[in-house]
């Protein structure tokens, strides 16, 4: 089962995950990070700025989870822009080593396959950061996504478009399609770290961690992975039936295990 770590604040979660990432980079200077967008991973990126100051990051690679289709890459809300503004720039990563799926309409038929080939060519993703949508999606794998899926074009649900409308002038400006790593792609990463904060995520977290494994709740795919860490605040942990056991386990965790 996933290791579930319940922390008082998102800031504390960011620090814990940043420590794990800094440790990974110290062990593997050419580490491959799976990068998520959205508001959830921001405390991780903030903490990483401090943890990685002065470290040699010249060989660190990154792969974003997803991108909107048909949105100009220079649009401030394209995930390419978001990743360069929130991760590549602040951390000082080499922009050439940080990839985002190509959402341009031209060539979109083979963009997914190309992205999979790029991930494979560098030996796969070491640590994948994940948020979760209120409908249980990870990446942009909406309910019903196959657990074997690879990077491909998907249609966003109305719910996801509504959730993401806050980043655009209106819901009509939120693209209808996206290109996202598949659940199969995500499950091939060597370590999954799923973060969630706030009451609004409590149902999705409980269903992903403790509910039946079902394509109807894409986040439940994490139950099939051998190394998953779920880091949540108290509000997002509200629906977890075994919260006391998770707290007890974490309090008694052998120090050598790390995250
Ligand atoms: C988007 C992203 C997901 C993210 C989710 C939650 O749909 N494609 O990767 O996990 O939103 O976003 P937030 O972290 O802002 O709640």
């Amino acid at each position: 089962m996933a290791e579930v770590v319940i922390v008082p604040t998102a800031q504390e979660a960011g620090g814990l995950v940043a420590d794990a990432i800094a440790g990974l980079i110290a062990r593997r200077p050419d580490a491959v990070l799976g990068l998520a967008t959205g508001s959830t991973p921001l405390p991780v990126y903030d903490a990483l700025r401090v943890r990685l100051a002065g470290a040699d990051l010249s060989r660190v690679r990154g792969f974003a989870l997803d991108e909107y289709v048909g949105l100009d890459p220079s649009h401030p809300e394209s995930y390419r822009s978001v990743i360069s503004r929130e991760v590549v720039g602040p951390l000082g990563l080499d922009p050439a080593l940080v990839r985002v799926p190509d959402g341009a309409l031209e060539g979109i038929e083979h963009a997914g396959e190309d992205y999979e080939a790029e991930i494979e060519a560098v030996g796969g993703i070491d640590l994948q950061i994940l948020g979760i949508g209120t409908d249980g999606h990870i990446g942009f794998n909406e309910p019903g996504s196959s657990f074997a899926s690879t990077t491909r074009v998907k249609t966003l649900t109305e719910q996801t478009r509504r959730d993401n409308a806050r980043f655009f002038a209106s819901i009509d400006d939120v693209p209808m399609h996206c290109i996202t790593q598949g659940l199969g792609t995500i499950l091939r990463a060597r370590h999954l770290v799923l973060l969630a904060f706030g009451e609004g995520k409590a149902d999705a977290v409980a269903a992903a961690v403790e509910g039946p494994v079902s394509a109807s709740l894409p986040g439940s795919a994490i139950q099939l992975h051998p190394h998953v860490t779920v880091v949540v605040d108290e509000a997002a942990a509200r629906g977890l039936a075994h919260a006391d056991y998770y707290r007890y386990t974490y309090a008694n965790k052998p120090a050598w295990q790390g995250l």
Side-chain angles (χ1 to χ4, degrees):
M1 72 178 228
E3 172 177 41
V4 181
V5 184
I6 304 168
V7 291
T9 62
Q11 202 189 0
E12 201 159 314
L16 268 181
V17 177
D19 282 343
I21 294 174
L24 167 68
I25 294 173
R27 290 192 306 277
R28 261 202 80 169
D30 58 349
V32 184
L33 305 178
L35 303 167
T37 49
S39 44
T40 305
L42 294 178
V44 176
Y45 302 141
D46 280 346
L48 272 177
R49 256 205 309 271
V50 181
R51 302 293 197 285
L52 295 177
D56 175 13
L57 304 176
S58 61
R59 294 162 61 204
V60 172
R61 290 180 182 275
F63 284 91
L65 274 172
D66 45 15
E67 177 59 292
Y68 292 109
V69 167
L71 191 65
D72 193 311
S74 66
H75 187 289
E77 294 306 329
S78 78
Y79 284 173
R80 179 174 297 278
S81 298
V82 172
I83 290 284
S84 63
R85 187 170 64 233
E86 284 163 2
V87 187
V88 177
L91 299 188
L93 301 183
D94 179 350
L97 299 185
V98 179
R99 315 295 297 161
V100 179
D102 188 353
L105 290 173
E106 204 189 311
I108 194 70
E109 329 71 68
H110 54 78
E113 232 173 278
D114 295 348
Y115 202 61
E116 291 289 323
E118 284 195 62
I119 294 174
E120 209 179 304
V122 301
I125 291 168
D126 289 309
L127 183 149
Q128 175 65 59
I129 301 169
L130 295 169
I132 188 163
T134 54
D135 64 358
H137 73 252
I138 52 177
F140 265 140
N141 293 282
E142 297 285 24
S145 295
S146 158
F147 283 1
S149 52
T150 53
T151 307
R152 75 239 183 269
V153 171
K154 290 286 289 180
T155 306
L156 297 174
T157 61
E158 275 305 296
Q159 167 80 49
T160 299
R161 292 183 70 232
R162 264 198 306 275
D163 285 350
N164 288 4
R166 67 190 193 278
F167 298 113
F168 294 84
S170 82
I171 186 164
D172 299 330
D173 295 328
V174 183
M176 189 69 74
H177 296 106
C178 62
I179 174 165
T180 180
Q181 284 188 32
L183 295 175
T185 320
I186 292 168
L187 288 174
R188 278 196 291 278
R190 286 181 274 280
H191 182 190
L192 303 182
V193 179
L194 187 146
L195 297 114
F197 308 121
E199 185 91 32
K201 298 291 174 74
D203 291 345
V205 167
V209 174
E210 296 178 342
V213 173
S214 160
S216 298
L217 201 297
S220 67
I222 64 171
Q223 295 180 44
L224 300 174
H225 193 283
H227 188 189
V228 183
T229 311
V230 175
V231 188
V232 290
D233 65 5
E234 296 285 347
R238 189 185 41 78
L240 291 169
H242 304 295
D244 288 346
Y245 177 62
Y246 305 139
R247 287 184 226 277
Y248 173 80
T249 307
Y250 190 64
N252 293 292
K253 185 181 166 86
W256 57 264
Q257 275 187 342
L259 210 58

